[in-house]
Amino acid sequence: MQLKPQERAPKKSTLRRRLMVASCALLGAGAARSQDGTTTSTGGGLLDNWSVDSALAYYHENGRIRAIEPVVDVAKVFADGQAINLNLTFDALSGSSPNGALTSRGAQTFASPSGTSLIGSKTYTTAPGRLPVDPNYHDTRVAFGANWSMPLTRVDQLSVGAKLSHEHDFVSATVNAGIAHDFNDKNTTVSLGIYNEYDRLSPIGGTPVAGSSYTLFEKTGNKTKDGVGALVGVTQVMTRNWLSEFNISVDRFKGYMNDPYKITSIIDGTGNTVGYENESRPDQRTRTSAYWENRVAWDSQVSTALSLRYMRDNWGVRSDTAELRPRWSFSNRERYIEPTIRWYRQTAANFYTPWLLTGAGRSTGYESSDSRLGAFHALTYGVKLAQKFAGQGGRAGSEFSIRVEYYQQTFDERLAAPAGLQGLDLFPSLKAALVQFGYRF
């Protein structure tokens, strides 16, 4: 999860660049800010000629995960047009995380990730009728990113960047590069971005053997995966008040794709749980997505941003996303309100199954009960309120904001359960709330 502070509202003359930057962010590439995001000062302070975005977010799922995430983003544009952007993110997560097992009418006992048996202190028990979750889940993540951009010619710009993310059981490193070309009197920008990512996984207690019996505790050492991706996009100034962007991206990951902490319940014909199996996913995934965004300023106080995204992969997942963000500025333009509504829908992976039946074969050779791979739809409602402050001593102004969002996810495909499981909530919905405080100067 990454809850980034929102970008400054750019002027029309640089919005093409900023939308290209947002496109590269889909590939994991950060980008430098435009000149509209810089500050100026007549003093000699540490942050002279730098812009700073900061945010503190709190995220809470109903009965599950809680997270706190501070983010700091600093940027500077130099006189020759070169720019640097640095980003530091810290995540602290805790709470209860579903382990993938099915709700049952009987109590269920599981081992913690470092456990080697179903007895002793490194176990936890789920009460009858309750969703099995690991109640002692906790994790922290520190991520640092940097991006450098430079003009090659009057109409060409190159950017390069890197990002490093560290968790106690996961390390990820990414490098990226992009180039953008303006033409048509700088009303059209064509961009190309590429990236390469390397991940190393060191699961607590070892990596479970894919598809093995959970109770045998068969485990191996560390695992890796790597990915490459590319994006091609075009941004067009349609009118003086309308900007449109379209891009297509493709990425491919190979290596260890499982979640080492997820299992799948094995049940008999009456619904009784008779065992568990460690999940098994394909070792390669290719995703293709298309993204289209339009921003329109209706007058000096009202604007809207509408985006649509479609994604498909070779696991059978298809997803659609639509997001609308209208913005109303108050008469003095020092304060604005920005509601958000986001709709999301996806189909299930072709190897997703909420449970396995004893004696039944697997049509794909793989299986996972991870609800993130199931078919569901979700709605997010939110609102952001921001207050701008005039700059002092020649400095650019600052902005303080509060953003609140509510998320609700509902399963779309609910398989008919055996008689012994009738009446149990086998497909619980997910509700979450987010509160974020932001300050930029």
Side-chain angles (χ1 to χ4, degrees), residues 144-265:
F144 176 75
N147 194 85
W148 184 275
S149 65
M150 64 209 76
L152 299 178
T153 68
R154 188 178 63 87
V155 294
D156 296 296
Q157 180 167 307
L158 175 70
S159 66
V160 293
K163 184 176 182 179
L164 180 66
S165 177
H166 179 270
E167 303 172 35
H168 66 280
D169 59 353
F170 178 80
V171 176
S172 176
T174 305
V175 293
N176 62 77
I179 190 169
H181 175 72
D182 295 329
F183 60 97
N184 188 23
D185 292 329
K186 293 193 174 182
N187 287 317
T188 305
T189 300
V190 175
S191 56
L192 170 66
I194 57 174
Y195 86 101
N196 179 240
E197 178 179 334
Y198 172 80
D199 300 333
R200 180 171 61 84
L201 298 88
S202 306
I204 300 172
T207 305
V209 175
S212 65
S213 172
Y214 172 69
T215 57
L216 294 180
F217 296 95
E218 295 182 87
K219 298 187 177 183
T220 60
N222 298 339
K223 298 293 183 180
T224 63
K225 71 174 184 288
D226 60 85
V228 294
L231 177 146
V232 177
V234 59
T235 304
Q236 177 67 47
V237 177
M238 309 298 289
T239 70
R240 60 179 300 179
N241 298 319
W242 176 17
L243 189 71
S244 184
E245 178 201 15
F246 179 79
N247 63 58
I248 295 176
S249 62
V250 179
D251 62 41
R252 185 185 188 194
F253 279 83
K254 296 181 64 177
Y256 184 78
M257 307 294 289
N258 295 335
D259 185 328
Y261 307 118
K262 297 295 185 185
I263 60 177
T264 303
S265 295

Side-chain angles (χ1 to χ4, degrees), residues 47-368:
L47 293 177
D48 285 352
N49 301 315
W50 289 80
S51 64
V52 180
D53 264 4
S54 61
L56 176 64
Y58 175 75
Y59 172 84
H60 182 79
E61 296 177 354
N62 57 319
R64 300 188 189 179
I65 298 298
R66 299 179 301 275
I68 297 178
E69 181 183 86
V71 180
V72 177
D73 185 284
V74 297
K76 181 176 182 177
V77 178
F78 298 90
D80 59 0
Q82 298 187 66
I84 187 172
N85 177 273
L86 305 174
N87 177 278
L88 179 65
T89 303
F90 175 79
D91 291 324
L93 297 92
S94 61
S96 302
S97 177
N99 63 14
L102 192 67
T103 302
S104 174
R105 293 199 179 278
Q108 301 180 81
T109 298
F110 305 94
S112 63
S114 59
T116 57
S117 72
L118 294 178
I119 58 175
S121 60
K122 295 184 177 181
T123 62
Y124 59 93
T125 300
T126 300
R130 305 290 294 182
L131 178 69
V133 296
D134 181 350
N136 302 312
Y137 174 81
H138 62 88
D139 198 2
T140 57
R141 180 180 73 99
V142 177
F144 176 75
N147 194 85
W148 184 275
S149 65
M150 64 209 76
L152 299 178
T153 68
R154 188 178 63 87
V155 294
D156 296 296
Q157 180 167 307
L158 175 70
S159 66
V160 293
K163 184 176 182 179
L164 180 66
S165 177
H166 179 270
E167 303 172 35
H168 66 280
D169 59 353
F170 178 80
V171 176
S172 176
T174 305
V175 293
N176 62 77
I179 190 169
H181 175 72
D182 295 329
F183 60 97
N184 188 23
D185 292 329
K186 293 193 174 182
N187 287 317
T188 305
T189 300
V190 175
S191 56
L192 170 66
I194 57 174
Y195 86 101
N196 179 240
E197 178 179 334
Y198 172 80
D199 300 333
R200 180 171 61 84
L201 298 88
S202 306
I204 300 172
T207 305
V209 175
S212 65
S213 172
Y214 172 69
T215 57
L216 294 180
F217 296 95
E218 295 182 87
K219 298 187 177 183
T220 60
N222 298 339
K223 298 293 183 180
T224 63
K225 71 174 184 288
D226 60 85
V228 294
L231 177 146
V232 177
V234 59
T235 304
Q236 177 67 47
V237 177
M238 309 298 289
T239 70
R240 60 179 300 179
N241 298 319
W242 176 17
L243 189 71
S244 184
E245 178 201 15
F246 179 79
N247 63 58
I248 295 176
S249 62
V250 179
D251 62 41
R252 185 185 188 194
F253 279 83
K254 296 181 64 177
Y256 184 78
M257 307 294 289
N258 295 335
D259 185 328
Y261 307 118
K262 297 295 185 185
I263 60 177
T264 303
S265 295
I266 303 174
I267 62 175
D268 60 23
T270 63
N272 294 317
T273 300
V274 297
Y276 309 95
E277 185 175 293
N278 293 302
E279 75 163 24
S280 175
R281 306 184 188 186
D283 61 3
Q284 185 271 127
R285 187 180 190 184
T286 301
R287 298 179 297 185
T288 304
S289 65
Y291 177 82
W292 185 33
E293 181 175 12
N294 287 275
R295 298 189 181 189
V296 179
W298 302 102
D299 56 38
S300 61
Q301 294 179 247
V302 181
S303 63
T304 57
L306 173 65
S307 63
L308 304 172
R309 184 174 185 266
Y310 172 77
M311 189 280 297
R312 62 179 297 172
D313 66 15
N314 63 337
W315 287 4
V317 178
R318 307 285 186 271
S319 70
D320 305 283
T321 308
E323 182 177 69
L324 176 65
R325 299 192 316 275
R327 175 183 289 194
W328 288 274
S329 298
F330 294 84
S331 57
N332 58 10
R333 296 184 60 81
E334 294 180 354
R335 184 180 304 145
Y336 66 84
I337 185 171
E338 185 179 270
T340 300
I341 181 169
R342 184 184 307 111
W343 172 83
Y344 178 83
R345 177 186 64 185
Q346 77 170 40
T347 61
N350 51 29
F351 53 86
Y352 169 78
T353 178
W355 60 75
L356 294 171
L357 285 173
T358 55
R362 292 175 290 181
S363 59
T364 64
Y366 303 102
E367 56 79 16
S368 174

